[in-house]
Amino acid sequence: MSTSSATRNAQDIQQLHTKQRSKKGLARERREWIAAYLFLAPDALGLLVFVGIPMIYALALGFFDVDGFGNFSFAGLMNYSKMFSDPQFLISLRVTLVYVIVLVPGLFVAGLGLALLVKQRIPFIGLFRSMFFMPYVISLVVVGFVWKFMLTDQIGVFNQFLTTLGLNSRSWLGDPNLALGTVIFINIWLGMGYYMIIFLAGLQDIPHEYYEAAYLDGASGWNAFRYVTWPLLKPTSFFVLLVSLVSAVAGSQGFDLIYVMTRGGPDQSTSLGIFYIYQQAFQFGHYGYAAAMASALVAVLLIATLILFALTKGGRFEFD
């Protein structure tokens, strides 16, 4: 056999092995994609059945007049036009706006402050972390009844304490000027432990060598926080702001507390948008109107989320 023939045979064999390896690699890559889709399929199916379809149904329901007995009549844009001329709904949107503006920064500051506190190496630090987080795992109904009892006029714990100090007692849940602030305070107390855990996880991911280098350069505690902690904590901060914003607008905690403690009163001062939607749907039977308002609330949430993305540059917090 000539040298050129042997060379060609060797090249043919090498090309054959290369094709076989590429086929095996392609098959392996395809199997990995199939496995990934199979793992994602249950979550995707659950989101479609329990979130996607109900959202589409609620959006469509807003164009119908529903009497609660299964009777539908097409109403077009009547529910939406009624919504924008309903003074009570507009009041609930204003209450929701104040609620979100105060609650989200309050949870952010309280959660970050607690995380910085419990990050310190002090005795029984695990016990303190558990105590701060414990309110979040307690039933919201139980929390509402306990706080309602402590804030009772005249005989409540807080009013008795004020009386002991020689101050006048307050109607914390009966005064329109105090009720919303009281509910916001309770929500901050309830949720700050959860956001403390998230911030604590972000703080523990920051290498300690960065702080040592900053202190060697003569940085103070505030400068170390400003130039080390805060820049490296931006992704966690964005996540906290986003989650707390969605939770505040959707009323995942506020609804339960308001239902137990104030029922939207006094004088609609604590009537969040989600609570007014509940009243229209399940107390007055206006399901189509409630669906239209729910769609509008989702639109408000999307706009608020886009504003958050714009203000924080997608979580980078790059302010010009």
Side-chain angles (χ1 to χ4, degrees):
M1 181 182 294
S2 63
T3 304
S4 59
S5 299
T7 303
R8 283 197 300 270
N9 290 335
Q11 291 176 349
D12 292 339
I13 294 172
Q14 186 177 2
Q15 290 177 359
L16 179 62
H17 286 305
T18 302
K19 291 180 179 179
Q20 290 177 348
R21 285 197 300 268
S22 63
K23 289 181 179 179
K24 290 181 179 179
L26 181 61
R28 181 180 179 182
E29 183 179 357
R30 185 175 298 174
R31 289 197 301 268
E32 290 177 353
W33 276 104
I34 293 174
Y37 281 121
L38 288 176
F39 279 115
L40 291 174
D43 285 341
L45 183 62
L47 287 174
L48 176 64
V49 172
F50 297 106
V51 179
I53 294 177
M55 288 183 64
I56 296 174
Y57 179 75
L59 179 62
L61 197 64
F63 296 95
F64 291 86
D65 186 17
V66 187
D67 60 3
F69 296 97
N71 298 320
F72 292 75
S73 60
F74 184 73
L77 297 176
M78 183 184 69
N79 289 325
Y80 291 93
S81 61
K82 176 183 177 181
M83 175 178 59
F84 291 109
S85 61
D86 185 355
Q88 294 183 345
F89 177 67
L90 298 178
I91 291 174
S92 69
L93 288 182
R94 185 183 63 191
V95 172
T96 302
L97 178 63
V98 175
Y99 178 81
V100 171
I101 290 176
V102 179
L103 179 63
V104 173
L107 286 172
F108 185 91
V109 173
L112 179 57
L114 284 179
L116 293 171
L117 177 64
V118 300
K119 186 177 179 291
Q120 307 301 319
R121 296 179 180 178
I122 58 177
F124 307 106
I125 191 62
L127 177 62
F128 288 113
R129 292 175 181 175
S130 301
M131 290 175 59
F132 287 131
F133 182 73
M134 189 178 298
Y136 187 78
V137 299
I138 300 175
S139 170
L140 292 174
V141 176
V142 173
V143 171
F145 277 115
V146 171
W147 274 97
K148 186 176 182 179
F149 173 75
M150 292 192 299
L151 296 172
T152 304
D153 297 350
Q154 304 300 327
I155 62 174
V157 175
F158 284 88
N159 282 322
Q160 288 186 355
F161 178 73
L162 291 177
T163 303
T164 303
L165 296 178
L167 302 175
N168 296 327
S169 61
R170 300 292 183 89
S171 181
W172 301 100
L173 299 176
D175 188 347
N177 297 320
L178 298 176
L180 183 60
T182 302
V183 172
I184 293 175
F185 172 80
I186 297 172
N187 269 283
I188 293 175
W189 170 84
L190 183 64
M192 63 183 183
Y194 171 74
Y195 296 105
M196 174 198 72
I197 297 297
I198 298 176
F199 274 122
L200 184 60
L203 290 172
Q204 291 177 342
D205 283 340
I206 300 176
H208 187 67
E209 291 78 6
Y210 292 173
Y211 293 103
E212 293 179 351
Y215 293 138
L216 287 176
D217 289 339
S220 61
W222 166 250
N223 287 331
F225 173 81
R226 181 180 178 183
Y227 295 107
V228 178
T229 304
W230 177 247
L232 297 177
L233 205 61
K234 286 180 180 179
T236 305
S237 301
F238 175 73
F239 177 78
V240 169
L241 287 174
L242 182 60
V243 172
S244 59
L245 175 64
V246 173
S247 177
V249 176
S252 57
Q253 292 181 355
F255 174 83
D256 300 74
L257 294 180
I258 288 173
Y259 182 84
V260 172
M261 299 174 63
T262 65
R263 297 295 179 95
D267 195 22
Q268 289 189 282
S269 60
T270 61
S271 180
L272 297 177
I274 189 67
F275 186 80
Y276 185 66
I277 292 172
Y278 158 80
Q279 287 181 315
Q280 291 295 320
F282 299 102
Q283 291 186 3
F284 308 134
H286 301 155
Y287 294 100
Y289 184 44
M293 289 189 293
S295 301
L297 195 62
V298 171
V300 171
L301 177 58
L302 291 176
I303 293 173
T305 304
L306 292 176
I307 292 174
L308 177 62
F309 270 88
L311 292 177
T312 62
K313 301 292 182 67
R316 296 189 299 271
F317 294 87
E318 296 175 357
F319 299 107
D320 296 331

